Amino acid sequence: MPVRRGGGVQDGGVAVKPFTLDLPRPPSINRLWRHGRGKHYNSPAYLQWITDADMVAIARKYMQGHEMVIGKWSADITIKRVARFDLDNLGTKALFDWLESREFIRSDHDNEGYTVRWGDAPEGCRVTITPLQKADKWDVMWSKPFSHPEMT
C-alpha cells in the first residue's frame, strides 16, 4: 500500500499533504533503553523494531519520493489491540524518533498533539501525520543539509 495522502496545507508556501504509514507496533516505552556499567543504550527490542519498521517502509515503498513535513504537525495513531499491553505505555517516542530519522518529519519538537487508540492496524501500528502549517521556501532551504559542489 503506498503512502496515502489527503488534502494538506495549501494556502501558499510549500504544501505537504497528510500521509498514513502502516508500521510494526513500537515497543513499550519501558522497553526502549537498557542500563549497565553507567551507560544507557538502545535495547535489543528497540533495535529490532527499528529494523522491522525500515523493512516494512522499504517493502511498502514509503521511502521513495516522500516529502518531509516542515513545521507544526499532529498525529493520529491506531494500534492493533494486544493482550497485556497498556495503551499509555505506547512507544510514541520510538515512533516519532523513527519518523524524524527517516525524514518524514523535520522534528518531533514540532508535534502539536497526537491521539492514540485501539483499532485496525494491519502491521500493528497505523500513523497519520497531518501538517498544520505551510512551510515557506526559507524553511525548506534551511531544513536540508548544506553540500558544496566542490566537496562532493
Side-chain angles (χ1 to χ4, degrees):
M1 167 187 199
V3 178
R4 294 181 302 173
R5 296 181 187 273
V9 178
Q10 299 291 333
D11 53 296
V14 177
V16 177
K17 297 177 182 175
F19 59 91
T20 299
L21 305 174
D22 287 316
L23 298 168
R25 180 179 51 83
S28 158
I29 193 73
N30 299 325
R31 298 187 64 211
L32 295 185
W33 300 284
R34 292 293 171 250
H35 315 284
R37 297 186 181 163
K39 295 184 178 187
H40 304 296
Y41 56 92
N42 293 340
S43 72
Y46 186 17
L47 294 173
Q48 184 62 54
W49 177 81
I50 291 169
T51 300
D52 293 346
D54 285 344
M55 292 297 105
V56 169
I58 290 167
R60 290 180 175 249
K61 299 183 179 357
Y62 294 153
M63 307 301 247
Q64 295 177 356
H66 71 273
E67 302 169 55
M68 182 191 313
V69 175
I70 298 170
K72 304 297 182 194
W73 53 273
S74 66
D76 183 47
I77 304 165
T78 303
I79 301 293
K80 185 175 184 178
R81 187 177 290 275
V82 177
R84 300 191 54 188
F85 185 78
D86 295 337
L87 199 56
D88 62 337
N89 282 341
L90 171 70
T92 55
K93 174 70 176 152
L95 179 61
F96 294 157
D97 285 351
W98 183 87
L99 289 167
E100 183 177 336
S101 70
R102 300 320 184 251
E103 297 183 345
F104 286 96
I105 58 174
R106 178 178 59 182
S107 173
D108 57 359
H109 294 259
D110 293 330
N111 183 348
E112 289 291 298
Y114 60 91
T115 58
V116 182
R117 69 179 56 83
W118 297 120
D120 184 34
E123 295 288 338
C125 174
R126 173 171 281 171
V127 58
T128 299
I129 301 295
T130 303
L132 300 176
Q133 72 182 47
K134 63 185 176 194
D136 65 27
K137 65 181 180 181
W138 300 109
D139 285 332
V140 173
M141 184 178 81
W142 287 107
S143 70
K144 295 180 180 175
F146 174 78
S147 78
H148 191 279
E150 294 178 9
M151 300 176 95
T152 56

